[in-house]
């Protein structure tokens, strides 16, 4: 009798992408999910979420390489355990609600084409450094990431694009820039996150931000650096991401910022129990067979991103 699992069906467009780009074979998905869960159940040092929808996201993010999926789930919980400042007790609390309502970071409802990547927009003119720290923003982005792992098929199958609007970027915000934290987030993106990063498009970049931007890029892999695009104007951005895919406030038809804020708050609050459950998952290095993982070996600040391979 064939194994069965409970995962959300993909649209025809995403099925095509998953087959052609991710090596997904529909008749084998259940066996692959069960193989990954069986491996996790046998690991004494890791306590992980093992439901079907969660695990298939990691398999898709690793193009169905079981060994890569094992490694990615391991790092997902290892880094979460090592970075409680970003991940511990990370629910949709009052700070996250207020940050969402600021409109600093929004997920656009319509992806870039029917089977295309998810589009996300950061507008730093909405970020008030008197109310929020950069850590608050990263914690909120991680909440949305956890939601997407479970709910956003376009993001998992086709990846995501970031648009960053640096209009009126506050100098107070720039003083919060922490290169070590940026490097840690880069390691998480490369080793742990199941979604594929397709590029970041920066617009309205002031001279004051150029030095910080160059520093951030210098710590990233050559492959990732090539996925940074600076656009001199919105017209330049439209050549890559047509206007229709942007919010109404940017001349498009992809929702209004207020609508996106409202929907995001509703979505994330509905998953608060799920977020709270994440705190019971993690790793215990004392139980890990073989070589232990520590902060230095994982994040090695003396190293660089040049050896990281982001897909």
């Amino acid at each position: 009798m064939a194994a069965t699992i409970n995962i959300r069906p993909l649209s025809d467009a995403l099925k095509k992408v998953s087959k052609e780009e991710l090596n997904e074979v529909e008749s084998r998905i259940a066996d692959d999910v069960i193989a990954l869960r069986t491996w996790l159940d046998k690991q004494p040092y890791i306590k992980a979420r093992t439901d079907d929808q969660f695990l298939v996201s990691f398999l898709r993010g690793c193009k169905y390489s079981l060994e890569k999926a094992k490694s990615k789930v391991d790092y997902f919980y290892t880094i979460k355990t090592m970075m409680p400042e970003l991940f511990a007790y990370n629910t949709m609390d009052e700070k996250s609600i207020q940050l969402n309502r600021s409109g600093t970071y929004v997920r656009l409802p319509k992806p870039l084409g029917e089977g295309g990547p998810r589009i996300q927009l950061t507008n730093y003119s909405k970020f008030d450094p008197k109310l929020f720290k950069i850590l608050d923003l990263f914690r909120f982005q991680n909440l949305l990431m956890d939601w997407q792992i479970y709910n956003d098929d376009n993001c998992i199958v086709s990846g995501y694009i970031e648009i960053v609007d640096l209009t009126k970027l506050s100098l107070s915000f720039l003083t919060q820039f922490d290169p070590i934290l940026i490097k840690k987030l880069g390691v998480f993106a490369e080793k742990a996150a199941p979604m594929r990063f397709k590029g970041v498009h920066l617009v309205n970049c002031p001279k004051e931000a150029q030095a910080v931007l160059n520093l951030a890029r210098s710590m990233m892999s050559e492959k990732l650096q090539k996925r940074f695009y600076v656009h001199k104007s919105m017209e330049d951005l439209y050549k890559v991401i047509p206007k229709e895919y942007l919010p109404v406030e940017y001349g498009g038809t992809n929702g209004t910022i207020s609508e996106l804020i409202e929907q995001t708050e509703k979505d994330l609050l509905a998953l608060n129990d799920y977020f709270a459950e994440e705190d019971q998952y993690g790793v215990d290095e004392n139980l890990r067979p073989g070589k232990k993982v520590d902060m230095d070996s994982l994040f090695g600040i003396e190293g660089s991103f040049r050896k990281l391979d982001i897909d």
Side-chain angles (χ1 to χ4, degrees):
M1 183 176 176
T4 59
I5 56 171
N6 182 24
I7 62 171
R8 186 172 46 252
L10 295 177
S11 67
D12 289 342
L14 286 177
K15 278 184 180 180
K16 185 174 187 294
V17 175
S18 65
K19 179 181 179 181
E20 294 178 356
E21 297 184 17
L22 306 183
N23 307 314
E24 183 163 292
V25 178
E26 201 164 351
S27 62
R28 292 210 311 256
I29 296 175
D31 288 337
D32 291 331
V33 168
I34 291 168
L36 180 54
R37 179 163 48 242
T38 299
W39 177 82
L40 282 167
D41 287 342
K42 292 178 180 177
Q43 306 312 306
Y45 66 98
I46 182 169
K47 184 177 182 183
R49 193 180 291 278
T50 58
D51 57 87
D52 300 335
Q53 192 67 54
F54 179 81
L55 294 183
V56 80
S57 292
F58 281 83
L59 287 163
R60 285 168 172 160
C62 296
K63 299 182 180 179
Y64 280 87
S65 164
L66 182 58
E67 293 309 308
K68 287 183 179 178
K70 290 176 183 177
S71 175
K72 190 146 281 200
V73 176
D74 187 340
Y75 276 118
F76 183 79
Y77 284 113
T78 297
I79 295 175
K80 279 195 167 192
T81 301
M82 287 185 174
M83 296 186 69
E85 70 273 21
L86 272 179
F87 298 105
Y89 307 106
N90 200 15
T91 58
M92 193 64 171
D93 57 13
E94 189 59 33
K95 178 76 76 171
S96 295
I97 289 172
Q98 292 305 317
L99 203 152
N100 176 56
R101 289 177 180 176
S102 74
T104 300
Y105 189 71
V106 293
R107 167 187 175 273
L108 305 186
K110 185 166 64 176
L112 189 61
E114 188 181 354
R118 178 63 55 202
I119 307 169
Q120 289 159 183
L121 170 67
T122 304
N123 184 347
Y124 280 114
S125 70
K126 305 291 185 180
F127 184 90
D128 186 346
K130 295 177 182 177
L131 297 177
F132 307 112
K133 296 179 180 178
I134 192 170
L135 200 64
D136 297 324
L137 175 59
F138 291 150
R139 284 174 64 86
F140 176 72
Q141 289 173 330
N142 286 329
L143 271 181
L144 188 58
M145 175 200 67
D146 277 345
W147 184 90
Q148 288 173 314
I149 289 172
Y150 211 73
N151 293 281
D152 191 338
D153 293 324
N154 278 82
C155 190
I156 294 297
V157 172
S158 297
Y160 65 99
I161 293 169
E162 298 280 358
I163 300 173
V164 181
D165 185 349
L166 295 163
T167 306
K168 298 179 182 176
L169 184 67
S170 165
L171 290 176
S172 299
F173 173 82
L174 290 178
T175 62
Q176 294 187 26
F177 181 79
D178 181 350
I180 294 176
L181 179 59
I182 298 298
K183 179 164 188 179
K184 289 179 177 179
L185 289 169
V187 173
F188 183 85
E190 185 264 333
K191 289 183 176 289
M195 53 276 289
R196 295 186 292 163
F197 173 64
K198 292 301 186 74
V200 57
H201 298 265
L202 299 110
V203 291
N204 303 319
C205 187
K207 288 187 294 184
E208 296 84 355
Q210 286 288 351
V212 173
L213 174 61
N214 290 336
L215 175 59
R217 291 176 68 176
S218 71
M219 296 186 298
M220 299 177 186
S221 68
E222 185 177 344
K223 188 173 185 179
L224 183 56
Q225 287 186 41
K226 290 179 179 177
R227 295 184 184 181
F228 270 73
Y229 308 94
V230 179
H231 301 278
K232 294 180 180 178
S233 66
M234 291 302 298
E235 296 303 321
D236 281 346
L237 178 66
Y238 295 154
K239 295 173 185 176
V240 183
I241 302 174
K243 186 186 293 188
E244 66 184 278
Y245 293 104
L246 298 175
V248 170
E249 291 82 353
Y250 284 78
T253 56
N254 204 356
T256 66
I257 299 298
S258 60
E259 289 170 346
L260 307 182
I261 289 170
E262 183 179 353
Q263 187 60 51
T264 298
E265 183 169 330
K266 189 181 302 181
D267 289 340
L268 296 185
L269 283 174
L271 214 64
N272 242 3
D273 288 344
Y274 177 97
F275 299 143
E277 286 171 7
E278 278 297 297
D279 277 322
Q280 68 179 285
Y281 301 117
V283 299
D284 183 345
E285 289 300 325
N286 294 321
L287 299 177
R288 185 190 291 269
K291 187 178 179 180
K292 313 303 180 192
V293 177
D294 57 30
M295 294 282 281
D296 288 339
S297 64
L298 185 54
F299 298 121
I301 304 305
E302 71 283 359
S304 74
F305 276 137
R306 302 197 190 287
K307 293 183 180 178
L308 298 186
D309 181 24
I310 297 192
D311 185 12

